[in-house]
Amino acid sequence: MNLIFRVIMFSFLGALMFASCKPRKGHAVKEADQKGMKDHYRSYFPVGVAVGPQSLKGDEAVLIKQHFNSITAENAMKMGPIHPQENRYFWRDADSIVSFAEKNGLKIRGHNLLWHEQTPDWLFKDGSGNQVSKEVLLLRLKDHITSVVKRYKGKIYAWDVVNEAIDDSPQNYLRNSEWYRICGDEFISKAFQYAHEADPEALLFYNDYNTERPEKRERIYRLLKELLNAKVPVHGVGLQAHWSIYEPTEQDLRAAIEKYSSLGLQLHITELDMSVYPWEKDRREKRPDEADSLSPELEQKQIAQYSMVFKVFREYKKNITSVTFWNVSDRYTWLDSYPVAGRKNYPLLFDINLKPKKAYWEVVNFKK
Ligand code: GLA
């Protein structure tokens, strides 16, 4: 009697447990989808992600291997971090990203060789603290580009050579950076030339943000055209794509893609994220009554915007030859502290637990 009672109890409990573990129908299909974004987009373009060395282990590494087939160093290859002193390079972090990529068969985009931010302290000054001459600065640039590009020759297939040389103000053309103040506009063509000499096989990109805003688009177009006319070895334009639920419009996105493509350049989407706040600092500050969560309303807008931009990317797959996200998931995004600190953002396709968001399914469930 006792035994029979126990058998019945166990069967009952077992059945209960099985029923509660069984996933609901729609959910089961999604969880069973072991395909990653890269597989859905196999016949379109590689799908990349920007990382630091800390993302190459644990659950983030698992996610990266499932969903991405291209990688970019978020900071490790920038001039400040990789070349902290004139005669000292710091290779460890960049090397670890490159070897992770090689081990797992990911393509590698190099980022970046020249920028006005994250530059090392020694770069623009001589031993007495005075500004260096144009000749000295170009020589330093050449040494830097040659060392970095040669180290990863044959491993890094594409480089963002010059980052953000166009000014923010529509009234100006080039940014009034230290590079510009010391060298005039020549630093741009020289950077491409040095990179090409160091690795003639690498694809070389000019990379910038707000590339779809009509006034900036015209100035970027002008720069690229001037470089091409002067036979500077530039092969592509990087659209950073730090976008938001408010921009770009589909019309501006298409116009930008067509304008840059008309120069015969390839396009890489290099730093994609979709902020749930407007871009400008003064419109991003949190009002006291606002919460720090992804509201259903913001989420819907984000789904619609992600869906629109990927539809356009697929349509222009001949021109867009790579799409890279800036960071892995909403667990960590540079937008949590930019342009104002203290306001959590949710700009990516994976949530803070690394689970695909609704926007993810929208992006991968298209008619193949
Ligand atoms: C720019 C740079 C990137 C990165 C982002 C912010 O877009 O190109 O390297 O620094 O800003 O993370």
Side-chain angles (χ1 to χ4, degrees):
M1 176 71 182
N2 205 359
L3 185 67
I4 293 172
F5 177 74
R6 260 193 274 165
V7 169
I8 293 172
M9 271 312 279
F10 274 124
S11 325
F12 179 68
L13 279 177
L16 252 185
M17 272 170 66
F18 179 72
S20 64
C21 288
K22 213 171 133 197
R24 278 171 294 129
K25 207 170 158 224
H27 196 61
V29 175
K30 288 172 185 174
E31 293 295 79
D33 183 356
Q34 283 312 306
K35 273 179 154 182
M37 231 183 321
K38 64 176 170 28
D39 306 305
H40 291 280
Y41 279 88
R42 180 89 47 204
S43 57
Y44 291 84
F45 33 71
V47 183
V49 62
V51 301
Q54 74 286 352
S55 297
L56 307 179
K57 48 187 189 290
D59 51 1
E60 283 191 273
V62 174
L63 183 91
I64 292 169
K65 286 188 254 180
Q66 182 182 348
H67 288 285
F68 301 98
N69 51 6
S70 174
I71 210 163
T72 302
E74 183 182 5
N75 289 301
M77 293 183 191
K78 290 172 183 167
M79 205 166 182
I82 209 168
H83 197 169
Q85 286 162 351
E86 186 167 8
N87 296 314
R88 187 172 73 84
Y89 283 86
F90 174 73
W91 299 115
R92 192 192 65 200
D93 290 353
D95 282 358
S96 70
I97 293 170
V98 169
S99 66
F100 176 87
E102 288 193 294
K103 204 167 124 214
N104 296 293
L106 280 69
K107 292 169 85 86
I108 314 168
R109 293 195 84 261
H111 175 83
N112 57 54
L113 296 171
L114 186 157
W115 192 23
H116 61 284
E117 285 185 30
Q118 293 187 261
T119 51
D121 292 340
W122 58 269
L123 182 62
F124 301 111
K125 300 214 161 68
D126 65 18
S128 337
N130 298 317
Q131 191 173 79
V132 290
S133 65
K134 174 175 171 180
E135 288 65 37
V136 170
L137 186 56
L138 289 179
L139 205 60
R140 289 179 174 183
L141 179 65
K142 183 173 189 177
D143 280 349
H144 173 77
I145 291 183
T146 308
S147 310
V148 177
V149 173
K150 284 205 163 150
R151 183 174 185 91
Y152 302 118
K153 191 173 175 170
K155 299 181 177 182
I156 291 187
Y157 81 103
W159 272 104
D160 292 331
V161 178
V162 175
N163 204 28
E164 305 177 354
I166 298 290
D167 198 51
D168 279 328
S169 161
Q171 267 71 54
N172 302 329
Y173 178 38
L174 296 178
R175 184 187 294 278
N176 189 19
S177 66
E178 247 165 322
W179 290 107
Y180 182 75
R181 287 198 294 277
I182 299 175
C183 301
D185 60 10
E186 223 184 312
F187 72 90
I188 303 176
S189 53
K190 289 288 184 204
F192 280 99
Q193 183 193 316
Y194 301 150
H196 188 59
E197 281 163 13
D199 184 356
E201 302 293 320
L203 294 173
L204 306 181
F205 282 74
Y206 172 74
N207 191 45
D208 213 329
Y209 60 91
N210 292 344
T211 46
E212 307 69 38
R213 291 188 177 178
E215 49 79 17
K216 191 151 176 195
R217 179 188 72 208
E218 295 309 313
R219 288 178 295 147
I220 295 174
Y221 176 84
R222 173 181 158 192
L223 173 64
L224 293 167
K225 201 166 168 54
E226 283 171 2
L227 293 173
L228 289 168
N229 286 346
K231 305 263 176 297
V232 173
V234 51
H235 310 116
V237 54
L239 280 53
Q240 291 187 1
H242 288 300
W243 292 333
S244 79
I245 56 177
Y246 304 99
E247 66 172 330
T249 62
E250 179 166 350
Q251 191 191 6
D252 283 348
L253 177 57
R254 285 177 188 276
I257 295 172
E258 288 184 11
K259 182 105 192 174
Y260 301 130
S261 301
S262 74
L263 290 168
L265 294 170
Q266 37 178 314
L267 272 58
H268 281 187
I269 304 296
T270 53
E271 307 183 19
L272 176 60
D273 44 25
M274 201 66 77
S275 170
V276 295
Y277 311 119
W279 170 256
E280 274 77 14
K281 180 175 186 302
D282 50 351
R283 293 158 65 207
R284 180 93 54 101
E285 306 256 10
K286 187 163 81 156
R287 292 194 305 269
D289 58 325
E290 287 179 317
D292 243 358
S293 57
L294 182 59
S295 69
E297 190 200 338
L298 291 180
E299 186 174 29
Q300 274 314 315
K301 286 192 176 149
Q302 191 183 48
I303 292 171
Q305 184 75 338
Y306 259 125
S307 167
M308 181 278 281
V309 303
F310 270 88
K311 180 189 72 183
V312 174
F313 294 166
R314 291 194 296 272
E315 235 176 85
Y316 287 97
K317 70 170 185 176
K318 280 207 177 64
N319 312 95
I320 297 176
T321 48
S322 169
V323 173
T324 292
F325 287 82
W326 205 251
N327 298 137
V328 181
S329 77
D330 291 347
R331 182 184 284 179
Y332 161 75
T333 157
W334 73 289
L335 291 169
D336 288 342
S337 51
Y338 184 92
V340 282
R343 184 163 198 189
K344 178 85 191 111
N345 209 325
Y346 304 88
L348 296 157
L349 291 181
F350 300 94
D351 68 15
I352 55 172
N353 299 311
L354 308 189
K355 294 283 173 252
K357 289 159 65 176
K358 286 187 197 141
Y360 171 84
W361 298 110
E362 199 67 27
V363 162
V364 299
N365 284 331
F366 58 93
K367 209 156 160 263
K368 312 242 166 43

